[in-house]
Amino acid sequence: MRGLVIKSTGSWYRVKAANGEEVNARLRGKFKLDNKKITNPIAVGDEVVMEAQQDEWVINEIEERKNYIIRKSPKKKHFDHLIAANVDQALMIATLKEPRTSLGFIDRFLVTLEAYRIPGVIVFNKVDLLDADGLEEADYLSFIYEKKVGYPCVKTSFIEGKVPETLSALLQGKRTLLSGHSGSGKSTLINLLLPEISQKTSEISSFSEKGTHTTTFAEMFFLDDTTAIIDTPGIKELGLSEIEGSELGHYFPEIRTVMNDCRFHNCLHVNEPGCAVKKALEDGGITQERYYSYLSMLESDDNRR
C-alpha cells in the first residue's frame, strides 16, 4: 500500500495511506545500511510503499523524490540530515528581535533552497517589537530580498491574531516547509492556520534571547485537500551540505545572472581580475550584505575545497 509520510520521529513514522487512513509504520532495516551518510533515510513528505506484517506496518520502498532539503547533521559529523522531501516551497520565518535572525542564517537557508530548486518565501515576524530604526531595517531587508533578489517577503506580527492575506495566498494549494529559529513564530502561525492543532508555543529566554524548542519532530498538517504545511524543529545553525565552494555563486540569483561575464570561468569573485560580480557590487546590482554572506560561506570550513 502506498502512503505519504506526515510525521517522522526517527524510530517510527506516521503515514497517511491512499485511502485516507493514518497508520504508524517502521522502516525496514535494510535502508539504514543503504544510507550510511544520512541520519534519517525517510523524511516527512516522502511517498512510500508499505505492507502489513503481523500486527505492524513496514515501509519497504521510498518513491523517487522530486526534491528534498537537507542540512549537515548537528549531532553526527560527516552525516547529513533530511529535513523534508517533495515540497513546493519553503517559508523562512525571520525576526529582527527576540530572537534576532542573522542575515547569514537567512542566506544559508536560501542557498540551500536554490541548490535543490525549491522556491523560497521570507516572513519578517514580530515587527510590533521594532522601533523606528528596526522598522527601517525590516523595510530595507525586504527591499533587498524581494526587489533585488526575487524572494517574496511579508512583514507581520502573528500576535495580531490573524494571518496576512498575502501570506495565505502564498500558501494556498502548495506544500510548504516552515523553518526558522526557535521562538520565531512557527508554532504560532500553525495555531492561526489550524486552531484545532493547538501547537505548543514558548517564551523567549530572557538570558539568551533564543527560543526554546517546542517542536521535536517534523510533521505535516493539512489546511485543505491541496494545501499543507510542514513544521520542523527550530534550527539554531544551518550547515550547508552537498555544496562546494566552486558552486556557491550559482545559488545566489544575483551572482548567477552576471557570473558568466567574468573573465575566468572558474572565478570565485574574490580578488580575480575582470570579475563581473565585483563590478556589479560596485555598481549596486549586488548588495554588500549579500556579498559578505557569500564570502562568509565561501571561507567556511564546510565549503573550503
Side-chain angles (χ1 to χ4, degrees):
M1 181 168 64
R2 284 178 165 77
L4 170 67
V5 177
I6 60 175
K7 186 174 184 178
S8 168
T9 70
S11 58
W12 59 270
Y13 305 90
R14 190 71 172 169
V15 181
K16 185 174 184 179
N19 62 7
E21 180 185 3
E22 294 185 11
V23 300
N24 293 334
R26 67 173 177 85
L27 179 64
R28 186 160 55 103
K30 175 184 175 182
F31 289 104
K32 297 174 184 177
L33 298 176
D34 290 344
N35 294 273
K36 294 182 180 180
K37 294 300 182 181
I38 300 291
T39 59
N40 56 328
I42 295 180
V44 169
D46 268 326
E47 302 280 351
V48 298
V49 179
M50 58 185 180
E51 65 176 350
Q53 292 186 0
Q54 297 179 351
D55 59 346
E56 65 179 0
W57 287 93
V58 177
I59 296 172
N60 290 322
E61 183 180 344
I62 306 171
E63 302 279 11
E64 183 178 358
R65 299 174 176 123
K66 74 173 184 179
N67 61 34
Y68 59 89
I69 183 168
I70 198 171
R71 61 176 294 201
K72 288 193 175 296
S73 172
K75 296 181 179 180
K76 288 189 177 182
K77 190 175 182 181
H78 306 307
F79 275 71
D80 293 325
H81 179 80
L82 284 168
I83 298 176
N86 301 318
V87 299
D88 297 315
Q89 64 182 1
L91 189 150
M92 159 66 70
I93 300 180
T95 47
L96 301 182
K97 189 175 183 180
E98 297 184 15
R100 180 175 177 85
T101 306
S102 71
L103 298 189
F105 183 84
I106 295 174
D107 290 334
R108 279 176 174 267
F109 182 75
L110 295 175
V111 163
T112 301
L113 298 185
E114 290 287 337
Y116 301 108
R117 296 178 176 84
I118 299 173
V121 177
I122 304 173
V123 173
F124 291 102
N125 189 26
K126 299 187 180 181
V127 296
D128 60 298
L129 300 179
L130 303 180
D131 57 17
D133 290 340
L135 291 172
E136 184 176 348
E137 181 184 11
D139 288 340
Y140 176 63
L141 293 178
S142 295
F143 170 76
I144 289 178
Y145 287 108
E146 187 159 26
K147 303 301 182 183
K148 287 280 191 178
V149 188
Y151 298 106
C153 293
V154 178
K155 291 174 292 183
T156 187
S157 292
F158 295 149
I159 196 173
E160 295 175 355
K162 61 181 180 179
V163 179
E165 291 183 6
T166 51
L167 178 54
S168 295
L170 288 170
L171 297 175
Q172 189 62 43
K174 295 180 180 179
R175 184 182 295 175
T176 303
L177 171 77
L178 302 184
S179 189
H181 289 313
S182 294
S184 62
K186 298 190 308 299
S187 294
T188 301
L189 174 59
I190 293 176
N191 285 341
L192 294 175
L193 293 169
L194 294 168
E196 65 274 18
I197 296 297
S198 296
Q199 287 284 90
K200 293 180 180 179
T201 57
S202 65
E203 298 295 331
I204 301 301
S205 166
S206 59
F207 175 75
S208 65
E209 288 195 346
K210 298 205 174 174
T212 55
H213 293 286
T214 56
T215 302
T216 307
F217 306 108
E219 186 169 4
M220 184 184 300
F221 302 100
F222 291 89
L223 278 63
D224 55 46
D225 291 340
T226 63
T227 307
I229 51 178
I230 300 175
D231 190 21
T232 59
I235 300 175
K236 292 183 179 179
E237 297 179 357
L238 184 63
L240 299 181
S241 181
E242 300 182 349
I243 299 175
E244 295 190 3
S246 58
E247 303 171 341
L248 186 60
H250 292 276
Y251 307 129
F252 281 74
E254 66 272 48
I255 291 178
R256 185 171 62 231
T257 58
V258 300
M259 61 187 301
N260 287 337
D261 294 329
C262 291
R263 181 182 302 175
F264 303 107
H265 70 88
N266 60 346
C267 182
L268 290 179
H269 325 300
V270 181
N271 295 314
E272 298 89 341
C275 175
V277 172
K278 294 294 294 290
K279 180 65 166 58
L281 177 66
E282 295 173 1
D283 295 341
I286 296 174
T287 66
Q288 290 186 346
E289 291 85 356
R290 288 276 289 173
Y291 181 69
Y292 290 153
S293 283
Y294 167 78
L295 290 181
S296 177
M297 293 182 215
L298 188 67
E299 294 169 0
S300 70
D301 290 337
D302 289 338
N303 288 292
R304 189 182 295 130
R305 295 290 189 269

